[in-house]
Amino acid sequence: MTKSLSGSEDRAEQQPLPGDSSLAGRGTRGAAGHALRAARILRIERVARIPRAGRVARDLLVHTGAVGAALAVGVVLVVGSGASVGQAAGALADGMAGTPYALGSALNAAAVLALIATGFTVAYRAGLVNVGGEGQLGVGGIGATAVGVSLPDATPAVLAVSLVLGAGFCAGAAWAAIAAWLKARRGVNEVITTLLLNFVGLGLVSLAVHEEGLLRQPVTSADTLPQSEPLAAGARLPLLGLTESPATIAVLVAVAAAVVTGIVLHRTATGTRLSAVGQSPPAARRLGLSVARLQIGALATAGGLAGTAGAALVATVPYVLAENFTSGYGFAGLVVGLLARGSLTAVAGISLLFGMLAAGGINLQLAAGVPASSVQVVQSVLIILIAGAATLRKETAR
């Protein structure tokens, strides 16, 4: 292994990169180039010393330890609430998948999280971090509602649902494109812009449901809630048809989005180009790639998928756009994307787990008297431990 790497280093010294043929003979710049090559080789050799099976076993041990520590925190919270551990565990399990209704609710939540996290993965492949899922979710819900309440009730479901989901995608993509354009054309950090656009997007939702000239339902009394009119009958997401289950076709939409995204990222030239941009925008630009166009497209796609998730939320019971309808799904989807680390298989698994925990937390409070926020605390501890372990591993490898 070392021999082959050394041979590669010799060849690299004899054949500098295009446009840098004179670096080797220019004093400190040439020395810097050789030092960079040596550092890369040392890093490769250090990683190569750990067999793949060993790395898998190490990661499995770290994740198992993190789950165990998070569960220990959960036990402390349960005991502190005055409930027995067995009672709380039973209530959580029943809420997660104890009944067809509970499982269907968990699947709907998982579908929303998976759509957001899939979009995050697309942007992440291009070297971008999309933290604007919450705002894109809200704007997507606005676009979907604007279309859904305008359609006649007699509109065929296939057409109406397609229009609603498409409107959500376009609205979310347009919202994310603002940050994408600022990043590509002005170099503004996308983390800052997408984060700030969250507050603007949620503000637009509040404005839309409070102003009668926008999407608020007609005010007939002082008790009229600030929300939109219900979507047309044909614009509501059909159920999957499972017995006593509220699961909708949003689950199928999320699965299809993940599969198509996986194919594009791993089996097409577009995926290769996005990877090149994510690894090194200057190098990708020297190869003739349109870095700005790829970055804008990746972040807009992420926003579009988050907008589709928003459309799915408003097209599910109670079929209205209401203030705070996003319920923090945008930020939770961001966490799913971060934990998945670019793996769409992991996106599916983590989304399902978080969706089931969200559904179980409600029953945990109703049946065992343990605050539903305890589940969020356990999730946060798990995230901190796994993220901390990943950061420590990177620092150790340097």
Side-chain angles (χ1 to χ4, degrees), residues 17-30:
L17 291 173
D20 294 335
S21 58
S22 60
L23 284 181
R26 291 187 180 177
T28 57
R29 294 179 65 186

Side-chain angles (χ1 to χ4, degrees), residues 114 117-119 121-122 257-263 265-266 340 342-349:
T118 298
T121 303
V122 175
V259 171
V260 171
T261 300
I263 293 173
L265 292 183
H266 298 287
S343 169
L344 291 170
T345 302
V347 163

Side-chain angles (χ1 to χ4, degrees), residues 9-397:
E9 182 184 12
D10 293 338
R11 288 191 297 272
E13 293 177 359
Q14 295 168 4
Q15 298 177 3
L17 291 173
D20 294 335
S21 58
S22 60
L23 284 181
R26 291 187 180 177
T28 57
R29 294 179 65 186
H34 290 304
L36 180 59
R37 292 189 185 96
R40 289 172 178 170
I41 291 171
L42 288 173
R43 190 176 298 118
I44 293 171
E45 289 179 337
R46 186 179 292 118
V47 173
R49 291 192 191 108
I50 305 177
R52 179 177 178 83
R55 294 197 299 271
V56 172
R58 179 195 60 190
D59 290 344
L60 181 61
L61 180 62
V62 169
H63 291 174
T64 302
V67 171
L71 289 177
V73 172
V75 169
V76 172
L77 293 174
V78 169
V79 174
S81 300
S84 68
V85 176
Q87 180 186 10
L92 182 63
D94 287 342
M96 291 171 64
T99 64
Y101 185 88
L103 182 58
S105 299
L107 288 174
N108 284 340
V112 173
L113 294 175
L115 283 169
I116 299 170
T118 298
F120 176 89
T121 303
V122 175
Y124 187 74
R125 180 59 64 94
L128 305 173
V129 179
N130 177 36
V131 298
E134 190 80 0
Q136 295 151 12
L137 191 76
V139 174
I142 293 175
T145 303
V147 172
V149 298
S150 303
L151 295 172
D153 286 333
T155 305
V158 174
L159 176 60
V161 169
S162 299
L163 290 174
V164 166
L165 294 180
F169 182 92
C170 292
W175 195 246
I178 298 173
W181 186 87
L182 290 172
K183 169 67 175 179
R185 300 301 184 186
R186 294 291 181 265
V188 182
N189 190 297
E190 79 282 356
V191 174
I192 297 174
T193 52
T194 53
L195 177 62
L196 295 179
L197 284 171
N198 280 329
F199 302 102
V200 181
L202 295 178
L204 289 176
V205 174
S206 179
L207 179 65
V209 299
H210 280 87
E211 292 294 330
E212 292 186 54
L214 298 175
L215 292 175
R216 182 171 183 171
Q217 62 182 340
V219 179
T220 57
S221 68
D223 297 328
T224 302
L225 296 175
Q227 62 186 32
S228 71
E229 293 183 277
L231 270 63
R236 302 171 183 179
L237 293 184
L239 300 177
L240 285 179
L242 304 177
T243 305
E244 299 180 356
S245 173
T248 68
I249 64 168
V251 178
L252 300 181
V253 172
V255 171
V259 171
V260 171
T261 300
I263 293 173
V264 171
L265 292 183
H266 298 287
R267 304 295 182 188
T268 68
T270 299
T272 304
R273 295 188 184 102
L274 289 174
S275 296
V277 172
Q279 291 293 328
S280 175
R285 193 173 291 110
R286 289 178 61 184
L287 290 172
L289 299 180
S290 177
V291 174
R293 181 169 57 83
L294 289 167
Q295 288 181 333
I296 292 174
L299 196 52
T301 300
L305 289 173
T308 303
L313 283 177
V314 299
T316 307
V317 176
Y319 310 113
V320 296
L321 177 71
E323 197 170 11
N324 300 321
F325 85 101
T326 57
S327 301
Y329 276 115
F331 296 115
L334 165 65
V335 171
V336 172
L338 287 171
L339 291 178
R341 298 171 60 189
S343 169
L344 291 170
T345 302
V347 163
I350 298 172
S351 296
L352 181 59
L353 174 61
F354 275 35
M356 295 177 73
L357 286 174
I362 298 174
N363 194 60
L364 184 65
Q365 181 166 345
L366 295 176
V370 179
S373 57
S374 300
V375 173
Q376 297 177 352
V377 173
V378 173
Q379 287 179 350
S380 300
V381 171
L382 179 62
I383 293 163
I384 292 172
L385 291 175
I386 293 178
T391 302
L392 180 61
R393 185 166 61 247
K394 288 182 179 179
E395 292 294 333
T396 304

